[in-house]
Amino acid sequence: VEMSSGDELMELSFAEGVENLEIRLGDGDYNVDSFFLYGAENVSIIGTGNTRLVSTYGTETIISMYDCDNILLYGLIMGHDLEPSMSCSTGVVELLSSKDIKIIGCDIYGCGLHGINASESRFVVENSIIRDCSMHGAMLYSSRGIFTNCTFSGNCYQYTSNPVFDLWGESCSVNLNSCVIQDNLGESKYKLADGAEFEESDTIETGNSWQ
């Protein structure tokens, strides 16, 4: 299915039983306000690398998933089109009780509180950027996230006492592979609670507040 506007995409929001669907989006802006996938399975949303899922409201996520399985987000720029001085009250990508979520070749940007907010979910992020989010780059509760060839930049600018990664809850973990962490304004790279784990390999850090 090819879609040319945010309105077309939003017609799927909150629909039950969306499955086995590949959605292709073109260049330019798709205005969405809390696009919500509920119980979706085997769904791909594929952009061109110049496809922007955006909202001018700081109270709405860009995309949320609940109880979803095998979802691909590819080639998307996702964020809130607000000035950094303005405040968001939500994140950009939200995962709730979902598994096998893949985010590939995406640019996730502020001023959302969190680039990725995951609860009891499993996901991988590859070749993507998470930047300019006001509170955290990623906040996970009882979730597992694997980041490969990703960049975290300019995060925690409004809440500088926060870490880039806030991890808590049983079986919560983040693994970084060949990532770049640069110019973040938080006081620390990560915070762990309730047995959460953080692992990294071949990661480059430069220009962060804690260095």
Side-chain angles (χ1 to χ4, degrees), residues 155-177:
N155 297 295
C156 312
Y157 66 83
Q158 196 170 29
Y159 300 88
T160 56
S161 62
N162 286 352
V164 177
F165 300 90
D166 193 351
L167 314 178
W168 53 294
E170 187 177 352
S171 71
C172 187
S173 66
V174 155
N175 188 286
L176 301 184
N177 304 300

Short mmCIF file of all heavy atoms in Angstrom, two decimals, residues 155-177:
data_model
loop_
_atom_site.label_atom_id
_atom_site.label_comp_id
_atom_site.label_asym_id
_atom_site.label_seq_id
_atom_site.Cartn_x
_atom_site.Cartn_y
_atom_site.Cartn_z
N ASN A 155 21.32 14.77 23.48
CA ASN A 155 20.17 14.43 24.33
C ASN A 155 20.34 14.98 25.75
O ASN A 155 21.41 15.37 26.16
CB ASN A 155 19.99 12.92 24.37
CG ASN A 155 19.66 12.35 23.00
OD1 ASN A 155 18.62 12.65 22.44
ND2 ASN A 155 20.57 11.55 22.44
N CYS A 156 19.23 15.00 26.49
CA CYS A 156 19.18 15.44 27.90
C CYS A 156 19.45 16.95 28.04
O CYS A 156 19.89 17.41 29.10
CB CYS A 156 20.16 14.66 28.77
SG CYS A 156 20.12 12.88 28.58
N TYR A 157 19.14 17.72 27.01
CA TYR A 157 19.48 19.14 27.05
C TYR A 157 18.62 19.93 28.03
O TYR A 157 19.05 20.96 28.56
CB TYR A 157 19.40 19.76 25.65
CG TYR A 157 18.01 19.80 25.05
CD1 TYR A 157 17.12 20.82 25.35
CD2 TYR A 157 17.61 18.80 24.17
CE1 TYR A 157 15.85 20.84 24.80
CE2 TYR A 157 16.34 18.82 23.61
CZ TYR A 157 15.46 19.85 23.92
OH TYR A 157 14.21 19.86 23.37
N GLN A 158 17.41 19.45 28.31
CA GLN A 158 16.55 20.18 29.23
C GLN A 158 16.61 19.61 30.65
O GLN A 158 16.34 20.32 31.62
CB GLN A 158 15.10 20.16 28.71
CG GLN A 158 14.21 21.20 29.39
CD GLN A 158 12.86 21.31 28.69
OE1 GLN A 158 12.37 20.36 28.10
NE2 GLN A 158 12.27 22.49 28.72
N TYR A 159 16.97 18.35 30.77
CA TYR A 159 17.07 17.67 32.06
C TYR A 159 18.50 17.14 32.19
O TYR A 159 18.75 15.94 32.03
CB TYR A 159 16.05 16.55 32.16
CG TYR A 159 14.62 17.01 32.02
CD1 TYR A 159 14.02 17.13 30.77
CD2 TYR A 159 13.87 17.35 33.15
CE1 TYR A 159 12.69 17.56 30.65
CE2 TYR A 159 12.55 17.78 33.04
CZ TYR A 159 11.97 17.88 31.78
OH TYR A 159 10.67 18.31 31.67
N THR A 160 19.42 18.01 32.48
CA THR A 160 20.84 17.66 32.43
C THR A 160 21.28 16.73 33.56
O THR A 160 22.37 16.17 33.50
CB THR A 160 21.71 18.92 32.44
OG1 THR A 160 21.38 19.70 33.61
CG2 THR A 160 21.45 19.77 31.20
N SER A 161 20.44 16.57 34.58
CA SER A 161 20.78 15.62 35.66
C SER A 161 20.45 14.18 35.26
O SER A 161 20.77 13.25 36.00
CB SER A 161 20.03 15.98 36.95
OG SER A 161 18.63 15.90 36.76
N ASN A 162 19.84 13.98 34.10
CA ASN A 162 19.43 12.64 33.67
C ASN A 162 20.52 11.93 32.87
O ASN A 162 21.38 12.58 32.25
CB ASN A 162 18.18 12.74 32.79
CG ASN A 162 16.94 13.03 33.59
OD1 ASN A 162 16.96 13.03 34.81
ND2 ASN A 162 15.85 13.31 32.90
N PRO A 163 20.46 10.61 32.82
CA PRO A 163 21.35 9.84 31.95
C PRO A 163 20.78 9.74 30.54
O PRO A 163 19.58 9.95 30.32
CB PRO A 163 21.36 8.46 32.62
CG PRO A 163 19.97 8.34 33.18
CD PRO A 163 19.61 9.73 33.64
N VAL A 164 21.63 9.41 29.59
CA VAL A 164 21.16 9.17 28.22
C VAL A 164 20.28 7.93 28.18
O VAL A 164 19.23 7.91 27.52
CB VAL A 164 22.34 9.04 27.25
CG1 VAL A 164 21.84 8.71 25.83
CG2 VAL A 164 23.16 10.31 27.23
N PHE A 165 20.69 6.88 28.91
CA PHE A 165 19.92 5.64 28.99
C PHE A 165 19.43 5.45 30.42
O PHE A 165 20.23 5.38 31.35
CB PHE A 165 20.77 4.43 28.60
CG PHE A 165 21.32 4.48 27.20
CD1 PHE A 165 22.56 5.07 26.95
CD2 PHE A 165 20.61 3.94 26.15
CE1 PHE A 165 23.07 5.12 25.67
CE2 PHE A 165 21.12 3.99 24.86
CZ PHE A 165 22.35 4.59 24.62
N ASP A 166 18.13 5.35 30.60
CA ASP A 166 17.53 5.10 31.91
C ASP A 166 16.89 3.71 31.86
O ASP A 166 15.89 3.51 31.16
CB ASP A 166 16.49 6.17 32.23
CG ASP A 166 16.06 6.15 33.68
OD1 ASP A 166 16.44 5.21 34.41
OD2 ASP A 166 15.35 7.07 34.12
N LEU A 167 17.48 2.76 32.58
CA LEU A 167 17.05 1.36 32.49
C LEU A 167 16.65 0.85 33.86
O LEU A 167 17.41 0.99 34.83
CB LEU A 167 18.20 0.49 31.94
CG LEU A 167 18.96 1.01 30.73
CD1 LEU A 167 20.08 0.05 30.36
CD2 LEU A 167 18.03 1.23 29.56
N TRP A 168 15.48 0.21 33.93
CA TRP A 168 15.05 -0.34 35.20
C TRP A 168 14.05 -1.47 34.97
O TRP A 168 13.49 -1.62 33.90
CB TRP A 168 14.46 0.76 36.10
CG TRP A 168 13.37 1.57 35.48
CD1 TRP A 168 13.47 2.43 34.42
CD2 TRP A 168 11.99 1.60 35.86
NE1 TRP A 168 12.25 3.00 34.13
CE2 TRP A 168 11.32 2.52 35.01
CE3 TRP A 168 11.26 0.96 36.87
CZ2 TRP A 168 9.97 2.80 35.11
CZ3 TRP A 168 9.90 1.24 36.97
CH2 TRP A 168 9.27 2.16 36.11
N GLY A 169 13.91 -2.27 35.99
CA GLY A 169 12.99 -3.39 35.91
C GLY A 169 13.70 -4.69 35.62
O GLY A 169 14.79 -4.74 35.03
N GLU A 170 13.11 -5.77 36.07
CA GLU A 170 13.67 -7.10 35.88
C GLU A 170 13.83 -7.42 34.40
O GLU A 170 12.98 -7.09 33.58
CB GLU A 170 12.76 -8.13 36.54
CG GLU A 170 13.32 -9.53 36.58
CD GLU A 170 12.40 -10.48 37.32
OE1 GLU A 170 11.42 -10.01 37.92
OE2 GLU A 170 12.67 -11.69 37.29
N SER A 171 14.93 -8.05 34.05
CA SER A 171 15.26 -8.49 32.68
C SER A 171 15.42 -7.33 31.71
O SER A 171 15.29 -7.50 30.50
CB SER A 171 14.22 -9.48 32.13
OG SER A 171 12.99 -8.85 31.84
N CYS A 172 15.72 -6.15 32.22
CA CYS A 172 15.91 -4.99 31.35
C CYS A 172 17.38 -4.92 30.94
O CYS A 172 18.28 -5.06 31.77
CB CYS A 172 15.52 -3.71 32.08
SG CYS A 172 15.53 -2.25 31.02
N SER A 173 17.64 -4.68 29.65
CA SER A 173 19.03 -4.59 29.20
C SER A 173 19.13 -3.80 27.90
O SER A 173 18.21 -3.75 27.10
CB SER A 173 19.63 -5.99 28.99
OG SER A 173 18.99 -6.65 27.92
N VAL A 174 20.30 -3.18 27.73
CA VAL A 174 20.66 -2.51 26.48
C VAL A 174 22.04 -3.01 26.07
O VAL A 174 22.94 -3.15 26.89
CB VAL A 174 20.66 -0.98 26.65
CG1 VAL A 174 21.57 -0.31 25.62
CG2 VAL A 174 19.26 -0.43 26.50
N ASN A 175 22.18 -3.26 24.78
CA ASN A 175 23.46 -3.66 24.22
C ASN A 175 23.78 -2.72 23.06
O ASN A 175 22.99 -2.57 22.13
CB ASN A 175 23.40 -5.10 23.72
CG ASN A 175 24.76 -5.62 23.30
OD1 ASN A 175 25.27 -5.25 22.26
ND2 ASN A 175 25.35 -6.48 24.12
N LEU A 176 24.95 -2.06 23.14
CA LEU A 176 25.40 -1.17 22.08
C LEU A 176 26.53 -1.83 21.30
O LEU A 176 27.50 -2.31 21.89
CB LEU A 176 25.91 0.15 22.66
CG LEU A 176 24.96 1.02 23.49
CD1 LEU A 176 25.66 2.32 23.87
CD2 LEU A 176 23.68 1.32 22.73
N ASN A 177 26.42 -1.83 19.98
CA ASN A 177 27.46 -2.39 19.12
C ASN A 177 27.87 -1.34 18.09
O ASN A 177 27.05 -0.89 17.29
CB ASN A 177 26.94 -3.63 18.38
CG ASN A 177 26.42 -4.69 19.31
OD1 ASN A 177 27.15 -5.19 20.16
ND2 ASN A 177 25.14 -5.05 19.18
#
